[in-house]
Amino acid sequence: MTKNKKSNESTYISEIAVHGLQEKKGNDIVRVDLRKLNASVTDFFVISHADSSTQVRALADSVEKEIYSSLKQDPWRKEGYELGEWVLLDYINVVVHIFKTEKRSYYGIEDLWGDAKMENYKSA
C-alpha cells in the first residue's frame, strides 16, 4: 500500500471512529493527527470519555460497529473492555482511546502529544 493510500485510509477510519463516538454522545471528542511527528506509533489517536463504564463500553461498541459496517474491519487489538475504565481499540494506523472521565484527566494523553495537530468534535 502506498503511503498516500495508507494516509487516506487512516484519515477515513479516524473520521468513522469520531462518528461512532458522536452517535453515542461521547464527551470531548478529539482527533490527534500524529502523521507529522517523527516518533509516532500510529497516524491518529481518537480520544473521548464517558461518565460510566457502561457508556465507555457503549462508545466502544459504536465505534466497532461503524468501522465494521463501513470497511468490514475489526480492531487488530482491543484492550480494557471488561473493566470499562479505559478501552483501547487498535486499528493499526488509528488508535481509539475511550476513558472513564477521571481516567482521562489522570493519564492526560493529549498532553503527551502536544506538538500534534488536534481537532475537537461535538457530540451529535
Side-chain angles (χ1 to χ4, degrees), residues 57-74:
R57 287 189 287 273
L59 289 167
D61 290 342
S62 180
V63 169
E64 281 191 85
K65 178 180 160 264
E66 293 291 332
I67 292 174
Y68 189 81
S69 63
S70 295
L71 298 168
K72 304 299 181 241
Q73 221 178 81
D74 287 316

Side-chain angles (χ1 to χ4, degrees), residues 86-105:
W86 174 3
V87 175
L88 182 141
L89 301 172
D90 186 347
Y91 289 92
I92 312 278
N93 296 316
V94 176
V95 178
V96 181
H97 299 271
I98 306 165
F99 292 95
K100 256 181 95 176
T101 303
E102 62 275 5
K103 296 291 182 188
R104 183 175 184 176
S105 323

Side-chain angles (χ1 to χ4, degrees), residues 7-23:
S7 182
N8 288 340
E9 182 181 6
S10 62
T11 300
Y12 184 54
I13 292 170
S14 71
E15 289 167 354
I16 296 169
V18 166
H19 177 73
L21 293 167
Q22 289 173 321
E23 285 294 301

Side-chain angles (χ1 to χ4, degrees), residues 11-12 14-19 21-22 25-33 44-49 104 117-124:
T11 300
Y12 184 54
S14 71
E15 289 167 354
I16 296 169
V18 166
H19 177 73
L21 293 167
Q22 289 173 321
K25 310 281 189 243
N27 296 317
D28 298 328
I29 303 165
V30 177
R31 182 172 72 166
V32 183
D33 186 342
F44 291 97
F45 280 161
V46 179
I47 306 166
S48 186
H49 70 269
R104 183 175 184 176
K117 180 182 172 199
M118 296 195 195
E119 294 178 67
N120 295 292
Y121 296 85
K122 298 214 180 289
S123 292

